[in-house]
Amino acid sequence: MVEISHAPVGQAPWLTLLGWGEGGTQGLTAASRAALESAEVVFGARRHLRLLPPLNAEVNEWPVPFAYGIPALLDQRGRRVVMLVSNDPFWFGAGSTLAQHLSADEWLALPAPSTFSLAAARLGWPLERCNCLGLHAKPLTRMRPYLHTGRRLLVLVRDGEAVAELASLVSRFGFADSQLTVLEALGGDNERVRHCRADANLPEDIAHPVAVGLEVAGHGPALPLTPGLPDHFFDHDGQITKQSIRAITLAALAPMPGERLWDIGTGSGSIAIEWLLAHADNQAVGFEQNAERAARARSNAGNLGVDWLEVKEGSAPDVLNDTPLPDAVFIGGGLSQALLDDLWHRLPEGVRIVANAVTLESEALLAHWHQQAGGELMRLELANATPIGTRRGWKASYPIVQWRGVR
């Protein structure tokens, strides 16, 4: 039997997270109006407070950065408090941040239509088929994986300069034919919707708050959805797990939503980056001795829209200390008996481990390890057709020996 907890009878939540749009009180429900009118204290950003009607409540402007306002809010426990939150508090809003500091019976949320909903309604786009990205405080390169011809993106951005940066990135990635719609102050008296191509001259008077609707068009290189991106997507110095081997390796690592990878000897970062591309909630830490390669891995991650890749510089196993434990480990460089022994003692049961070897010495090490720890051992040999005079023949790559197992 499932037990459901309830707030004590008669004890109402002291905090109301009230969805607030550019229309101010015009679009409020009866419940939202009642909460606002009965409030003793109201918090909100400056642009929200300017739309408030006269109230009997104490009104406080929320500071920047956002986290600075949380202690003052929590000090109001026991009073009737309303916090004005942009539209839907739990869709790229402040609700999820605040809920971490509160018990479930302390707060009530009264959402308004999200900016994504308002934008889709203006454009006539089916919201469930749009990619919705909140990038007002995140790098705009995070839209890179979604740039596929024919797709529609709804993107929340910081201001007019960010709109110009977004349009420039779209063009640089090869999608200059994309149709861009700038949507300002949706739901308010100053609402404005304007259309142009991504490579056109943008208006200079774009006002906050602003969203962008993007209909992707062009012949730029889109990122495939299956593992094994073509090697040209990565800047590298030769230290890269090549496309075909990378696809097999990622299949062995088997990323699942929310999991963390350790990529030891990350090189160009290709394995860790594709792990992150598999799902937006995935995490990855790369470990690399060479500072230049570490910087290159970070750059590759940013260019491919997964800038949250963490790269630690140093040699394993020493550099592994003080790093949250992973769900999977890939060893692409620095393979040694000491490293394997360390991982076997360090990691909890159930962690998936994949190691690739190309030299005779590392092959022998994996063969011995397979006998000792079990798992699977396989030899991967690939050859490509290349010219031999006027004919063709097979040119073999170095064979890869791969061990895969579970701690």
Side-chain angles (χ1 to χ4, degrees), residues 12-302:
W14 63 271
L15 173 64
T16 299
L17 303 176
L18 196 153
W20 190 257
E22 288 299 299
T25 59
Q26 296 176 22
L28 292 185
T29 64
S32 295
R33 286 181 180 275
L36 188 60
E37 290 168 1
S38 65
E40 297 176 89
V41 184
V42 174
F43 286 89
R46 180 178 300 177
R47 67 183 182 88
H48 293 154
L49 298 182
R50 65 181 171 80
L51 298 172
L52 272 180
L55 296 172
N56 293 323
E58 172 188 326
V59 177
N60 298 285
E61 182 177 333
W62 196 269
V64 177
F66 182 86
Y68 288 4
I70 294 176
L73 176 70
L74 299 180
D75 284 344
Q76 300 299 323
R77 277 191 173 97
R79 304 180 72 184
R80 293 190 303 277
V81 181
V82 165
M83 180 172 177
L84 306 179
V85 183
S86 295
N87 302 106
D88 187 340
F90 289 93
W91 200 354
F92 296 103
S96 56
T97 300
L98 292 172
Q100 298 173 23
H101 300 271
L102 300 162
S103 60
D105 60 353
E106 289 189 276
W107 58 271
L108 169 70
L110 298 173
S114 69
T115 303
F116 297 120
S117 296
L118 294 172
R122 301 298 184 271
L123 295 169
W125 292 359
L127 187 56
E128 74 276 5
R129 296 188 60 82
C130 297
N131 292 115
C132 298
L133 307 174
L135 302 183
H136 32 25
K138 300 290 192 302
L140 296 179
T141 48
R142 291 195 180 185
M143 70 178 171
R144 179 66 182 97
Y146 304 96
L147 293 178
H148 290 251
T149 295
R151 301 301 300 171
R152 287 169 168 171
L153 279 58
L154 294 173
V155 189
L156 308 184
V157 295
R158 183 182 63 255
D159 51 25
E161 290 185 7
V163 176
E165 182 185 349
L166 182 148
S168 175
L169 282 172
V170 169
S171 298
R172 179 162 67 84
F173 289 136
F175 298 94
D177 296 337
S178 299
Q179 180 72 18
L180 188 146
T181 302
V182 181
L183 306 110
E184 303 159 76
L186 290 176
D189 294 337
N190 297 321
E191 178 177 310
R192 186 164 51 180
V193 178
R194 292 181 281 183
H195 308 273
C196 63
R197 277 173 53 106
D199 59 353
N201 292 324
L202 295 175
E204 297 182 356
D205 59 344
I206 298 173
H208 176 76
V210 58
V212 173
L214 190 69
E215 291 185 276
V216 182
H219 302 287
L223 302 188
L225 299 179
T226 52
L229 295 182
D231 294 343
H232 66 75
F233 279 108
F234 302 95
D235 179 27
H236 63 90
D237 60 359
Q239 287 295 107
I240 182 174
T241 304
K242 300 298 193 297
Q243 179 184 14
S244 298
I245 300 298
R246 191 179 339 118
I248 295 170
T249 300
L250 284 158
L253 289 167
M256 288 179 276
E259 289 192 321
R260 179 184 293 111
L261 173 74
W262 282 2
D263 182 3
I264 300 174
T266 196
S268 66
S270 61
I271 291 287
I273 288 168
E274 293 216 42
W275 173 278
L276 295 174
L277 285 169
H279 196 277
D281 289 337
N282 284 3
Q283 303 167 54
V285 183
F287 303 92
E288 176 56 54
Q289 296 185 67
N290 184 292
E292 185 176 348
R293 287 175 182 157
R296 187 179 289 114
R298 296 186 190 100
S299 176
N300 282 331

Side-chain angles (χ1 to χ4, degrees), residues 262 325-326 329 342-349 351 353 407:
W262 282 2
L325 292 171
V329 176
D342 180 90
L343 290 173
W344 212 248
H345 288 94
R346 181 190 298 266
L347 299 176
E349 291 185 5
V351 175
I353 306 174
R407 167 67 179 89

